[in-house]
Amino acid sequence: MHTRNINHAQLNKSLLTISLLGLLLYFGKSFLVPVAIAAFFAMLLYPLVHRLQRRKVKKPLAAFLSILLLLAVLVALGTVVYYQLRSLDADLPRLELKVTEKSRRIQDFLYQATDLSANEQDQIIEEKKPDIAKAVFKSIKQLLVQGLSVLLFLFIVLSYTFFFLLYQHKLHTFFVRVRWFQSQRASRVMMTRISRIVHDYLKGTFLVIMLLSVIYALGFRAIGIEHAILFALVTALLRLVPYFGSFLGIVFPIVFALLTKDSFWYPVLVLLFFMATQLLEANLLTPYITGSKVKLNPLATIMAILLGNLVWGVPGMILFLPLFAILKVIFDQIPQLEPYGYLLGKEE
C-alpha cells in the first residue's frame, strides 16, 4: 500500500502560522475586539450608507447619520433598561419582605434538618454582615468603574465604525488587490459575499432578539411575573451567545419567581413557557430569519463559542460565530481548504 509522503516543512509552516495567529488574537484582545465589533457594525450599516449616497448625501455625512442612528438605538435600549431597573429598585422594599419570608421558611427547614436555631442562624449572618457589606461596596465601585470603561469602549467602537464606513471602498479594494484568490474578480465576489453574509446574519439576529423580547414580555406578564419587560430584555439579549445565552437568561426570571411567589407553579410555568419559546425559535424564527445565513453545524458552532471564550472572553463567544462563518466562505472557495469548509458546514 502506497502512502503519500508528508511534507514536513509545509506542516511545520502551517502549525507555526496557526500558533502565531492564536498568540496574536489572545494578546491583541484589547485592540482587536473593538476593531472586530466595529467591522461588523460597519457591515450592518453600509447598505444604509449606500442608500443615503444614492440620495445625493455625501459619504462622510451618510456615515455620520448611520452612526447616529445606531447610537440612538443603543441609547433607547439603555434608557428602557435604566427605567426598568429604577422600577425594580422602587419595588425592592416589597421584594425584601417576600425574600425575608422565604428566608424564614428556609431557616425553619434548616432548624428541622440541622437543629440550628433561628437565633444561631441570625448570629452567623450578623457575623458575616461586615464581609457582605464590603463585598457589596466593592461591587458597586467596580460597577461604576466598568460603566466609565463601557462608555470609553463605545466611543472607540463608534469611531472605528465611522472610519470603516468612510473608507469601506478603500478597504474593499485593498483586499481585492491582495489577490488571495485566482483573480481580482474572484476576490471582489468573495468580499461582496462575506459582507452580505455578515450583514444578513447580524440583521437577522437583531430581528430575532426584538421578536423574542416582545414574546418574553407578553409571556412573563401573562404568567404574572413582575418587571416582565426587564427580564424579557435580559433573556433576549443573552441570546447573542448561541445555545448557552438563552439558558443563562431564563435563570433570572425563574429565580425571581422562586423568591417572590408563594406558589411553586410560577417558576414551573416560566420554564414551560421558555421551552415552548425555544421550540418556536428553533423551528420557525431562526431557520427563516438567520438559518440560511450562517451554515455552520452545531459542533462547529459550539467550538467557535468555546474558542471565542478562551481567546476573547464573553465578546469572543459572540464574535467568533460570524468569524467562523467568514472562514467557511473562504475555505469553500479555495480548493486546498475546501475539506475544512465541509467540516464546518451542515449536511445539505
Side-chain angles (χ1 to χ4, degrees):
M1 182 174 64
H2 298 284
T3 58
R4 183 180 296 178
N5 293 327
I6 299 175
N7 189 334
H8 293 284
Q10 185 65 31
L11 178 62
N12 292 334
K13 183 179 177 181
S14 300
L15 292 175
L16 179 61
T17 302
I18 294 173
S19 301
L20 291 176
L21 181 60
L23 290 173
L24 176 64
L25 289 173
Y26 183 78
F27 289 105
K29 171 185 174 181
S30 58
F31 171 75
L32 293 175
V33 169
V35 170
I37 295 175
F40 289 142
F41 277 161
M43 292 182 193
L44 179 66
L45 294 175
Y46 182 72
L48 176 60
V49 174
H50 184 63
R51 198 171 294 119
L52 290 173
Q53 283 186 275
R54 286 192 298 180
R55 299 191 176 188
K56 308 303 180 182
V57 178
K58 296 293 184 181
K59 193 169 187 178
L61 180 58
F64 182 71
L65 292 175
S66 300
I67 296 294
L68 283 182
L69 177 61
L70 176 62
L71 185 60
V73 172
L74 295 176
V75 169
L77 179 61
T79 302
V80 172
V81 173
Y82 171 75
Y83 280 106
Q84 290 299 313
L85 288 173
R86 283 192 61 180
S87 174
L88 179 62
D89 182 64
D91 200 26
L92 281 180
R94 185 185 65 84
L95 297 178
E96 187 177 355
L97 291 175
K98 287 279 188 181
V99 173
T100 302
E101 183 183 344
K102 294 277 185 178
S103 300
R104 290 300 177 188
R105 293 180 185 176
I106 294 174
Q107 285 184 331
D108 292 339
F109 172 78
L110 290 175
Y111 175 68
Q112 295 175 5
T114 64
D115 291 331
L116 194 64
S117 68
N119 290 332
E120 291 173 328
Q121 295 175 35
D122 289 336
Q123 185 178 356
I124 294 174
I125 294 174
E126 286 292 334
E127 291 175 356
K128 294 296 182 181
K129 269 187 177 180
D131 296 332
I132 295 173
K134 288 180 181 179
V136 171
F137 178 76
K138 185 178 179 181
S139 299
I140 293 173
K141 185 178 179 181
Q142 289 179 346
L143 184 62
L144 292 174
V145 173
Q146 289 177 356
L148 295 175
S149 301
V150 168
L151 291 177
L152 178 60
F153 182 82
L154 181 61
F155 174 77
I156 293 173
V157 168
L158 293 180
S159 299
Y160 277 140
T161 305
F162 173 78
F163 287 111
F164 282 154
L165 289 171
L166 192 61
Y167 297 113
Q168 188 272 345
H169 180 72
K170 196 175 187 69
L171 293 171
H172 189 280
T173 304
F174 165 77
F175 286 112
V176 169
R177 290 186 177 183
V178 169
R179 289 195 180 185
W180 286 342
F181 303 95
Q182 295 178 350
S183 63
Q184 283 193 1
R185 182 179 179 277
S187 299
R188 188 176 294 108
V189 169
M190 181 55 53
M191 288 302 302
T192 302
R193 184 175 300 173
I194 289 174
S195 298
R196 173 55 57 185
I197 285 177
V198 173
H199 170 266
D200 290 346
Y201 167 74
L202 293 175
K203 185 176 69 173
T205 299
F206 290 135
L207 180 58
V208 169
I209 288 175
M210 289 172 58
L211 291 174
L212 286 177
S213 298
V214 175
I215 293 172
Y216 285 141
L218 294 175
F220 293 159
R221 180 160 292 180
I223 292 171
I225 303 298
E226 294 91 345
H227 312 288
I229 296 177
L230 176 61
F231 289 120
L233 286 173
V234 171
T235 307
L237 286 173
L238 283 173
R239 191 254 175 214
L240 284 170
V241 181
Y243 298 123
F244 306 110
S246 297
F247 292 98
L248 177 62
I250 200 60
V251 169
F252 296 103
I254 289 178
V255 171
F256 185 82
L258 279 171
L259 292 175
T260 59
K261 297 296 183 180
D262 295 327
S263 174
F264 187 71
W265 280 107
Y266 284 94
V268 172
L269 287 175
V270 171
L271 180 60
L272 292 175
F273 169 69
F274 173 73
M275 293 172 63
T277 307
Q278 285 294 106
L279 289 174
L280 174 67
E281 179 195 352
N283 294 286
L284 185 61
L285 295 180
T286 298
Y288 284 96
I289 297 177
T290 63
S292 60
K293 314 305 178 187
V294 180
K295 296 183 178 180
L296 296 177
N297 62 59
L299 176 61
T301 301
I302 293 175
M303 290 178 64
I305 294 170
L306 297 180
L307 181 62
N309 180 62
L310 177 66
V311 177
W312 286 353
V314 175
M317 298 176 72
I318 300 171
L319 296 173
F320 267 52
L321 185 61
L323 285 175
F324 265 57
I326 292 173
L327 286 177
K328 184 188 181 307
V329 174
I330 296 174
F331 290 164
D332 287 342
Q333 299 303 313
I334 301 177
Q336 296 87 342
L337 299 177
E338 191 273 334
Y340 299 101
Y342 170 78
L343 186 64
L344 293 176
K346 296 179 180 179
E347 293 290 345
E348 297 295 339

